[in-house]
Amino acid sequence: MQSLHRPKLQPAVNDGDHRQGPDDAPVTLVEYGDYQCPYCGQAHPIVRALQQRLGKRLRLVFRNFPLSEIHPHALHAAEAAESVNAHAGAAAFWEMHHTLFTHQQALDDSQLGHYAKAAGGDATLTVADVAAGAFEDKVRADFMSGVHSGVNGTPTFFINGARFEGNWTDIEEFAAALEAAGA
């Protein structure tokens, strides 16, 4: 009989990650996501509702996993979010993150600067950074951490370092798994 094991997060959450919520929260939810993926778009309001429900007991971490072969705007959207983070900080990153998921159907390069400005970033810098591939290495590092963690699609979630194999579309099941991890 073959032993079953859930893939583990590689590397562990660190200062290079986008984090929202207390670092000492009993539950850390890591999402590997793609801004153009319709399933990630479906997961976004669920994750936000879970953040509301668990409050300070939950730390959310987002890592980029753009599936560029099927989502042609995903890489640039991720790079634009990284640019906003670098130039305007974490609060602006999370606003950009939300905006990108809210506007999944309009992620072409011509829109990214507008979204950056609306999120509190600098449209000109963001457009220049995307054109230069200034944050491609950061996005690639996130992607490779996903590969090393066994991610093969988006969204993929890890709860306290272990892959969540349940049904993320069922908010009650997802919440129960998070609650159990923090017990």
Side-chain angles (χ1 to χ4, degrees):
M1 180 174 174
Q2 188 176 17
S3 70
L4 298 175
H5 69 283
R6 293 191 290 177
K8 296 289 185 188
L9 184 67
Q10 299 292 327
V13 173
N14 59 68
D15 289 341
D17 284 316
H18 300 290
R19 301 178 316 275
Q20 196 173 45
D23 283 335
D24 63 351
V27 181
T28 296
L29 176 64
V30 175
E31 176 184 357
Y32 281 92
D34 171 325
Y35 288 114
Q36 198 176 359
C37 168
Y39 300 109
C40 293
Q42 182 183 356
H44 183 66
I46 294 168
V47 170
R48 288 174 60 101
L50 292 168
Q51 286 181 284
Q52 286 289 101
R53 185 183 289 196
L54 275 76
K56 293 181 189 253
R57 295 177 294 144
L58 179 67
R59 173 176 63 165
L60 174 65
V61 174
F62 182 81
R63 290 182 177 171
N64 296 293
F65 201 81
L67 300 172
S68 301
E69 291 186 15
I70 56 174
H71 300 135
H73 301 298
L75 176 60
H76 282 184
E79 290 180 78
E82 293 298 337
S83 174
V84 167
N85 182 69
H87 300 298
F93 166 81
W94 288 105
E95 187 60 34
M96 182 71 162
H97 174 83
H98 175 65
T99 299
L100 293 170
F101 279 127
T102 303
H103 294 44
Q104 278 193 311
Q105 303 308 313
L107 294 179
D108 55 279
D109 288 355
S110 67
Q111 297 298 318
L112 297 177
H114 299 296
Y115 300 153
K117 183 176 180 181
D122 182 306
T124 303
L125 278 174
T126 299
V127 169
D129 283 346
V130 169
F135 293 95
E136 190 172 336
D137 286 348
K138 164 65 170 110
V139 173
R140 188 178 320 280
D142 277 3
F143 186 90
M144 291 310 298
S145 78
V147 169
H148 295 304
S149 300
V151 174
N152 57 9
T154 57
T156 297
F157 296 99
F158 289 80
I159 300 173
N160 288 349
R163 186 171 174 156
F164 174 60
E165 301 289 353
N167 180 2
W168 59 262
T169 65
D170 181 337
I171 194 166
E172 296 307 322
E173 180 180 332
F174 204 168
L178 293 167
E179 294 280 2

